[in-house]
Amino acid sequence: MKKLSLLIMALIYINAIDPSMVQLGTAKLDELNQSNLGKMILQMAQTHAEMRGPLDDLVAAIGDLENELTAELQQLDEDYTRSTNQHAATQENLDIQIGQTEINIFNQKDFIDAILLPSIDQTNSKIDRLNGYINDNRDNLSKETLNRQKQHQQFLDRVSEHQSAISAVDEAIQLINALINGNISFAEKGTINQAIQRINTKTQKTNTVHPIVKALMSLTQNFSDQDQAKKIRDLLSDTRNQLVASLNQETADENQIEQTWVERQKTLNTEYQEFKRSVLEATYVLATYQSKLKSTREALAENENDLQSYKDSLQQDKDAQAQETQIYNELKSQYQIQLQTTRNAKEFVNSAEFSNVIRQKLNQGGLI
């Protein structure tokens, strides 16, 4: 703007005054007086005229001002274009970040809702189910152990009954042999009755043997020859053999039951260990899911914060761009007004009526 000090230095070298031209020039002077820049140009023109400087200097000064304003307007446009491009790049980058972050948030929420939470629920249900199996397994072991103990006690009771029965039959056979061998007389009823009483006492606990032995021994009280005694002895021997066979069968059955029970215990314990292993495995899987859920929720919260930050930054950049655009438009309008004023002044200075109008205005007291 310093070049304006050289603007209007050579204005008035024409002595003839055409009234119509003066009227036209006066209108242009009034137009220039409407702006500060126009007033400044007129002030410089007045000073130049009073000093009677060359007109070409004034024209050159106005031309320099026009060039300076044009250059500044061009620089303003370039700066605004560069700033607009920078805003566009910034907003495009923020839009990309917002879009990618929104995708990440969607995927993380979907991962939580569709995979992690259902998997955690399923794993918890699996653990509860396995713990139920473990409880059932231990309950079954306890119940079956108690039943087995009762079963074995019943076996021991049956063994005792068989042994008592065999002992009674052996004593009965000894009594018959004593009668047959003459060690006891058939006439000794008291001795025979005492022996029969002892045998009956031993066989009372054996429901299947006692009636047979009792019946056979009752016959002993009523016979008096050895042939009958031998027949009874043979029947008692058969009974004893049956008792021994039954005891052997009971023992064999018990051994088989015990073997089956041992296998059953192994099966239950194996199942128990398998259930325990499955619980440990499921617990590890559950911990993994829970850890992943925690980290995913943390990442989700971070992405949500980032998304809000990106949106805030985008809005701030748009607001800044809007403010810059407003300032640019205001400055550009001012430059355009000043540039048009300068061009009007240049055109006026180059006009034929300029010198006449300037001289007349000076004679009237000044241009402004």
Side-chain angles (χ1 to χ4, degrees):
M1 300 300 292
K2 291 181 179 180
K3 293 181 180 180
L4 285 176
S5 62
L6 302 175
L7 269 180
I8 313 176
M9 301 295 184
L11 294 177
I12 312 169
Y13 291 95
I14 302 174
N15 297 319
I17 300 176
D18 184 345
S20 63
M21 294 179 64
V22 171
Q23 184 177 5
L24 178 63
T26 300
K28 291 186 177 180
L29 284 176
D30 292 339
E31 181 181 348
L32 288 173
N33 268 313
Q34 298 301 313
S35 67
N36 293 330
L37 180 61
K39 290 179 180 179
M40 183 181 66
I41 293 174
L42 291 177
Q43 286 176 348
M44 297 180 70
Q46 178 174 319
T47 302
H48 188 74
E50 291 173 347
M51 296 176 64
R52 298 187 179 277
L55 182 61
D56 290 343
D57 290 347
L58 179 61
V59 173
I62 295 175
D64 290 342
L65 176 61
E66 180 185 10
N67 292 336
E68 183 176 342
L69 290 173
T70 301
E72 290 180 1
L73 179 58
Q74 182 178 358
Q75 184 63 47
L76 177 66
D77 288 336
E78 291 176 356
D79 291 344
Y80 178 72
T81 300
R82 182 165 52 254
S83 176
T84 299
N85 291 338
Q86 182 60 47
H87 282 298
T90 299
Q91 292 172 21
E92 180 182 7
N93 182 57
L94 286 171
D95 283 334
I96 292 173
Q97 290 178 316
I98 288 173
Q100 185 59 55
T101 304
E102 287 176 339
I103 292 174
N104 292 339
I105 289 174
F106 175 83
N107 290 336
Q108 287 166 339
K109 287 183 176 179
D110 184 66
F111 183 52
I112 290 173
D113 295 336
I115 297 179
L116 290 179
L117 291 180
S119 297
I120 288 174
D121 290 340
Q122 292 173 3
T123 306
N124 277 323
S125 297
K126 181 179 181 180
I127 292 174
D128 291 341
R129 187 168 60 253
L130 288 170
N131 285 327
Y133 293 159
I134 290 174
N135 293 334
D136 291 342
N137 178 277
R138 295 297 90 181
D139 288 343
N140 290 335
L141 180 61
S142 297
K143 292 176 181 178
E144 293 182 26
T145 298
L146 181 60
N147 290 335
R148 176 59 191 140
Q149 290 172 348
K150 291 179 180 179
Q151 189 180 45
H152 183 66
Q153 186 58 50
Q154 291 172 353
F155 162 73
L156 294 178
D157 292 342
R158 290 195 299 275
V159 168
S160 178
E161 291 176 3
H162 278 73
Q163 290 175 343
S164 296
I166 291 172
S167 175
V169 171
D170 286 342
E171 189 170 347
I173 291 174
Q174 290 177 0
L175 175 61
I176 297 299
N177 285 332
L179 290 172
I180 293 173
N181 295 330
N183 296 330
I184 299 177
S185 170
F186 287 101
E188 297 179 11
K189 300 293 184 179
T191 302
I192 294 175
N193 287 335
Q194 290 176 0
I196 292 174
Q197 185 62 40
R198 288 196 306 272
I199 294 171
N200 284 334
T201 300
K202 290 182 178 181
T203 58
Q204 283 177 355
K205 295 181 180 180
T206 308
N207 294 330
T208 57
V209 177
H210 177 65
I212 298 174
V213 174
K214 184 177 181 180
L216 291 175
M217 297 310 297
S218 64
L219 292 175
T220 305
Q221 295 175 320
N222 298 320
F223 62 68
S224 58
D225 59 69
Q226 290 188 351
D227 290 336
Q228 288 180 333
K230 289 179 181 180
K231 290 180 181 180
I232 293 174
R233 183 186 61 183
D234 292 339
L235 291 173
L236 287 171
S237 296
D238 290 340
T239 299
R240 185 182 188 284
N241 291 336
Q242 291 176 9
L243 287 171
V244 171
S246 177
L247 178 59
N248 291 337
Q249 186 62 49
E250 288 281 356
T251 303
D253 292 343
E254 175 65 14
N255 291 336
Q256 182 61 46
I257 291 172
E258 179 64 19
Q259 183 178 353
T260 302
W261 169 237
V262 170
E263 294 300 323
R264 174 61 176 164
Q265 285 180 300
K266 289 181 180 179
T267 299
L268 288 173
N269 288 329
T270 299
E271 290 178 352
Y272 173 77
Q273 294 300 326
E274 180 63 24
F275 292 149
K276 290 289 289 184
R277 185 194 64 78
S278 297
V279 167
L280 292 175
E281 183 180 275
T283 301
Y284 172 78
V285 172
L286 177 62
T288 302
Y289 283 139
Q290 290 174 333
S291 175
K292 188 63 176 177
L293 176 61
K294 180 181 178 182
S295 62
T296 303
R297 281 176 170 168
E298 291 174 350
L300 174 60
E302 183 176 352
N303 276 326
E304 288 175 336
N305 290 335
D306 289 344
L307 178 62
Q308 188 59 49
S309 176
Y310 293 147
K311 288 182 176 180
D312 291 344
S313 297
L314 179 61
Q315 188 59 50
Q316 291 171 2
D317 193 78
K318 287 181 177 180
D319 292 342
Q321 184 181 15
Q323 186 176 11
E324 290 174 8
T325 299
Q326 181 180 359
I327 295 174
Y328 162 75
N329 289 331
E330 292 175 355
L331 288 175
K332 185 173 183 179
S333 177
Q334 292 176 11
Y335 271 111
Q336 288 174 336
I337 292 172
Q338 292 176 1
L339 188 58
Q340 186 61 44
T341 301
T342 303
R343 288 170 179 169
N344 291 340
K346 180 180 179 182
E347 181 182 358
F348 180 46
V349 169
N350 285 320
S351 66
E353 71 273 19
F354 177 73
S355 296
N356 296 330
V357 173
I358 292 297
R359 183 177 295 276
Q360 184 185 37
K361 288 293 183 179
L362 287 175
N363 292 332
Q364 294 174 353
L367 298 177
I368 303 174

